[in-house]
């Protein structure tokens, strides 16, 4: 359903994505892993054009956009097929939780206010924030803010939700509540692409794991296989570093 | 000492006389700010969106009006503009002085307002616009619905200063013979030589209006920044009730606190 073809991205003279090909099927949960600087977040941001690829093709469903000459309309259309959950939540600071969720429905999807409200309340209840509708982001904890962020994405009923390190900015004790919400969504069969460092989450929830390093996809496959017996040496090193065997000697 | 002997009776006598011209002063202020907002907005956009030639032009405009005294701007526009317009055969000799005055103050305020808007917009976290794009908003919707409201809230303290400064600057319009408050004071002095009484009255009036404006803006700021206020309990998490210095500074400057996830 999502097809990335030969995606190339430079920051100045530094090439961060090198000819990346990636296909995500409908209903699939794909987790992208990799060390920082490997280009995984950039790749994710290329899908909704928050980052403009220098070359390649981004296609979602029927819509294919050539990155050499994308029109404003194409970019807009691409963005309307996806929704994003950000590392730093990026909730609209001047709007309440409810307004945050309603905004896109009313302004972009042109839903009637009442309908948008109903749907937003329903989604906020689903992420466990039915009692925080009128709270401003500054009055919410990080975990609550991120759940509003997820509700905002979910309410749009996009074809896919892109998660950009959704738990990296959270207090360790808040990570669980957010992962729980994402887990539940995954069960509903929504297409998701998740950039994360949560290995446990990747193992349990992903249908497929993609390991990136140095701007290329090093290896991809079933999480059980990737985690237990990766083919590539680079993957092995990474996994070893990030999930060290229990060793409490000093 | 020049002038007549101090007589407190004149303090009360001149008060209503000066107040009768308050409407002229307030007209200059409100029109200038209104037009200034329009001008400032138009001038800020090319710089925010980095439009090649227009951007330079607005830079020149801003630095001229910020870099020269308003008194000289008044004279340049009042005496210079009609001459320039004569070249293209437009006769403005019958145009009321007030028009030139409002024009000058508008352009002057516009320069400062454009800087204010630019600073405000730049201060809004980039993630806000990204979030707006990610839900599918176009550039215009993102700017008007998400970025601008936050930028204006941030800019409000600067704007309040500007309005008060403009109020006080209008006192220079009397040099062109406009009968606003200071102009009226000038005439009263010529007639009665009661310098001190007149200027005390004048000071009181300007001060009271400035003070009222300051209060009004503070209320408005509190309303616009209501989303920044945390719930009482938030500060007690670490067993201390004292707000942080950084928080206080940010509050008094009307700027949201920095840091991720705020």
């Amino acid at each position: 359903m999502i097809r990335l073809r030969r995606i190339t991205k430079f920051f100045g003279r530094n090439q961060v994505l090198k000819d990346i090909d990636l296909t995500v099927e409908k209903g699939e949960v794909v987790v992208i892993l990799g060390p920082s600087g490997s280009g995984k977040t950039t790749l994710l941001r290329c899908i909704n054009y928050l980052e403009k690829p220098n070359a390649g093709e981004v296609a979602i469903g029927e819509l294919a956009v050539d990155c050499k000459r994308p029109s404003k309309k194409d970019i807009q259309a691409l963005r309307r097929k996806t929704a994003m959950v950000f590392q730093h939540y990026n909730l609209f600071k001047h709007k309440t939780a409810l307004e945050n969720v309603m905004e896109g429905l009313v302004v972009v999807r042109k839903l009637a206010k009442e309908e948008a409200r109903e749907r937003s309340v329903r989604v906020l209840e689903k992420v466990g924030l039915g009692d925080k509708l009128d709270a401003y982001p500054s009055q919410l904890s990080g975990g609550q803010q991120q759940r509003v962020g997820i509700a905002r994405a979910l309410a749009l009923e996009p074809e896919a939700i892109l998660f950009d390190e959704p738990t990296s900015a959270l207090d360790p004790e808040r990570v669980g509540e957010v992962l729980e919400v994402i887990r539940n969504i995954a069960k509903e069969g929504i297409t998701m692409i998740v950039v994360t460092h949560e290995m446990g989450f990747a193992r349990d929830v992903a249908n497929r794991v993609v390991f990136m390093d140095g701007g290329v996809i090093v290896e991809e496959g079933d999480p059980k296989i990737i985690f237990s017996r990766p083919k590539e040496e680079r993957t092995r090193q990474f996994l070893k570093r990030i999930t060290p065997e229990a060793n409490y000697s000093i | 000492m020049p002038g007549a002997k101090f007589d407190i009776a004149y303090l009360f006598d001149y008060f209503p006389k000066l107040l009768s011209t308050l409407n002229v002063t307030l007209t200059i202020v409100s029109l200038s700010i209104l037009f200034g907002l329009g001008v400032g907005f138009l001038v800020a956009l090319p710089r925010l969106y980095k439009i090649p030639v227009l951007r330079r032009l607005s830079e020149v405009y801003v630095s001229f009006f910020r870099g020269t005294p308003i008194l000289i701007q008044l004279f340049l526009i009042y005496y210079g503009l009609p001459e320039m317009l004569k070249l293209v055969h437009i006769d403005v000799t019958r145009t009321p002085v007030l028009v030139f005055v409002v024009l000058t103050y508008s352009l002057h305020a516009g320069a400062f307002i454009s800087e204010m808007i630019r600073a405000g917009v730049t201060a809004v976290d980039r993630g806000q616009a990204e979030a707006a794009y990610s839900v599918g908003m176009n550039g215009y919707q993102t700017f008007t619905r998400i970025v601008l409201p936050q930028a204006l809230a941030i800019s409000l303290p600067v704007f309040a200063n500007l309005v008060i400064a403009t109020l006080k600057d209008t006192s220079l319009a009397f040099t062109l013979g406009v009968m606003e408050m200071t102009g009226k004071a000038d005439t009263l002095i010529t007639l009665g030589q009661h310098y001190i009484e007149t200027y005390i009255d004048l000071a009181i009036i300007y001060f009271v209006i400035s003070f009222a404006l300051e209060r009004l803006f503070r209320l408005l700021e509190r309303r616009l920044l209501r989303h920044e206020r945390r719930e009482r309990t938030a500060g007690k998490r670490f067993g201390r009730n004292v707000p942080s210095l950084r928080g206080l500074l940010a509050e008094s400057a009307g700027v949201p606190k920095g840091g991720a996830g705020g």
Side-chain angles (χ1 to χ4, degrees):
Chain A
M1 191 196 66
I2 297 180
R3 270 173 299 118
L4 303 178
R5 215 174 282 156
R6 302 186 64 91
I7 294 291
T8 302
K9 174 71 185 171
F10 286 88
F11 285 133
R13 269 193 295 176
N14 180 21
Q15 185 170 12
V16 283
L17 296 178
K18 299 170 183 164
D19 273 345
I20 297 232
D21 288 305
L22 181 69
T23 306
V24 177
E25 298 303 332
K26 195 167 165 43
E28 218 181 355
V29 177
V30 172
V31 169
I32 305 179
L33 300 175
S36 34
S38 59
K40 53 194 192 309
T41 288
T42 309
L43 181 67
L44 192 75
R45 288 163 60 87
C46 280
I47 299 174
N48 67 351
Y49 253 83
L50 285 184
E51 225 56 88
K52 293 184 173 55
N54 297 97
E57 187 188 75
V58 179
I60 303 177
E62 300 290 290
L63 177 75
V65 178
D66 181 356
C67 304
K68 285 269 190 222
R69 37 177 160 51
S71 73
K72 266 193 179 165
K73 226 171 138 189
D74 285 343
I75 294 176
Q76 196 92 43
L78 217 50
R79 284 179 179 156
R80 290 184 184 183
K81 285 178 183 286
T82 57
M84 188 172 239
V85 175
F86 296 86
Q87 181 178 4
H88 296 296
Y89 335 129
N90 294 8
L91 297 184
F92 305 131
K93 284 185 191 170
H94 60 309
K95 293 188 180 293
T96 62
L98 182 63
E99 287 166 348
N100 261 281
V101 181
M102 280 175 67
E103 185 72 9
L105 297 177
V106 175
V107 178
V108 180
R109 298 286 150 93
K110 310 286 182 205
L111 255 59
K113 267 239 163 92
E114 258 325 294
E115 200 187 340
R117 202 191 142 81
E118 266 169 43
R119 200 200 281 186
S120 305
V121 171
R122 211 165 52 230
V123 179
L124 279 166
E125 277 167 356
K126 193 156 141 189
V127 299
L129 291 173
D131 56 338
K132 295 284 184 190
L133 299 180
D134 296 320
Y136 284 99
S138 63
Q139 297 162 337
L140 297 172
S141 74
Q144 290 169 334
Q145 287 189 58
Q146 192 58 299
R147 284 188 279 152
V148 175
I150 294 170
R152 178 171 70 182
L154 211 51
L156 292 165
E157 296 175 357
E159 297 194 22
I161 302 183
L162 315 173
F163 291 84
D164 181 14
E165 305 198 22
T167 57
S168 314
L170 294 173
D171 286 345
E173 48 185 318
R174 299 284 186 182
V175 170
E177 70 184 51
V178 171
L179 287 182
E180 187 57 38
V181 169
I182 302 178
R183 229 177 227 128
N184 289 336
I185 303 171
K187 279 185 206 143
E188 290 176 21
I190 296 171
T191 314
M192 306 195 327
I193 305 179
V194 189
V195 170
T196 185
H197 292 294
E198 294 293 330
M199 292 302 144
F201 174 82
R203 204 184 318 229
D204 300 348
V205 182
N207 303 118
R208 182 151 54 105
V209 169
V210 172
F211 176 68
M212 281 182 74
D213 190 25
V216 296
I217 292 176
V218 176
E219 186 170 359
E220 61 179 302
D222 187 285
K224 287 189 202 80
I225 295 169
I226 297 264
F227 282 113
S228 54
R229 32 181 207 286
K231 279 197 287 265
E232 303 292 328
E233 179 56 30
R234 186 67 192 88
T235 318
R236 210 168 299 151
Q237 281 173 0
F238 174 76
L239 290 174
K240 202 168 171 187
R241 203 151 36 81
I242 210 147
T243 46
E245 277 155 49
N247 179 359
Y248 298 108
S249 63
I250 298 173
Chain B
M1 200 187 93
K5 197 167 174 296
F6 182 80
D7 183 348
I8 201 162
Y10 282 100
L11 224 50
F12 299 102
D13 186 31
Y14 284 173
F15 213 73
K17 285 181 178 157
L18 288 169
L19 277 179
S20 71
T21 54
L22 177 62
N23 59 338
V24 182
T25 296
L26 292 183
T27 307
I28 301 175
V29 175
S30 42
L31 285 180
S32 305
I33 293 296
L34 198 71
F35 293 138
L37 277 170
V39 173
F41 212 67
L42 288 178
V43 171
L45 287 178
R47 293 182 75 181
L48 282 172
Y49 287 99
K50 302 193 170 68
I51 303 168
V53 181
L54 289 177
R55 180 185 174 194
R56 283 270 164 267
L57 282 178
S58 40
E59 274 171 26
V60 171
Y61 160 78
V62 169
S63 54
F64 174 76
F65 277 94
R66 290 212 308 175
T68 53
I70 188 150
L71 189 62
I72 292 170
Q73 292 165 15
L74 272 171
F75 289 152
L76 273 177
I77 287 184
Y78 182 62
Y79 296 111
L81 194 63
E83 289 300 315
M84 271 167 65
L85 289 177
K86 235 182 244 172
L87 295 177
V88 287
H89 302 291
I90 299 174
D91 184 24
V92 286
T93 41
R94 289 177 166 276
T95 311
V97 192
L98 205 59
V99 173
F100 291 99
V101 170
V102 169
L103 179 66
T104 311
Y105 285 111
S106 301
L107 291 174
H108 184 81
F112 284 89
I113 288 173
S114 84
E115 285 294 275
M116 170 191 101
I117 291 175
R118 207 168 63 91
V121 168
T122 324
V124 175
D125 180 18
R126 167 120 196 95
Q128 295 287 307
E130 287 188 350
Y133 290 139
S134 81
V135 301
M137 287 193 209
N138 60 31
Y140 177 77
Q141 291 165 333
T142 301
F143 187 70
T144 53
R145 298 196 56 94
I146 305 299
V147 178
L148 197 60
Q150 294 185 45
L152 290 182
I154 295 170
S155 309
L156 200 66
V158 181
F159 183 66
N161 282 343
L162 184 81
V163 174
I164 291 169
T166 307
L167 169 74
K168 293 184 291 180
D169 281 346
T170 55
S171 64
L172 291 170
F174 88 98
T175 52
L176 296 183
V178 175
M179 255 313 146
E180 45 71 70
M181 249 174 358
T182 308
K184 182 71 180 176
D186 204 43
T187 355
L188 288 174
I189 288 166
T190 316
L191 290 174
Q193 300 290 308
H194 288 281
Y195 287 90
I196 299 175
E197 296 88 331
T198 318
Y199 285 129
I200 288 177
D201 278 353
L202 211 50
I204 291 173
I205 298 174
Y206 279 117
F207 175 75
V208 168
I209 302 171
S210 300
F211 188 74
L213 282 173
E214 207 183 300
R215 278 291 140 121
L216 191 75
F217 277 115
R218 200 169 299 168
L219 279 177
L220 195 63
E221 190 187 330
R222 203 170 285 179
R223 161 126 189 83
L224 279 179
L225 287 178
R226 65 191 184 284
H227 61 272
E228 286 288 328
R229 252 179 302 156
R230 282 162 185 278
E231 262 160 21
R232 279 270 161 82
T233 48
K236 286 185 186 165
R237 225 171 25 161
F238 301 106
R240 56 165 196 176
N241 233 336
V242 198
S244 70
L245 179 65
R246 221 161 72 85
L248 279 177
L249 280 175
E251 214 170 274
S252 64
V255 186
K257 273 197 262 189

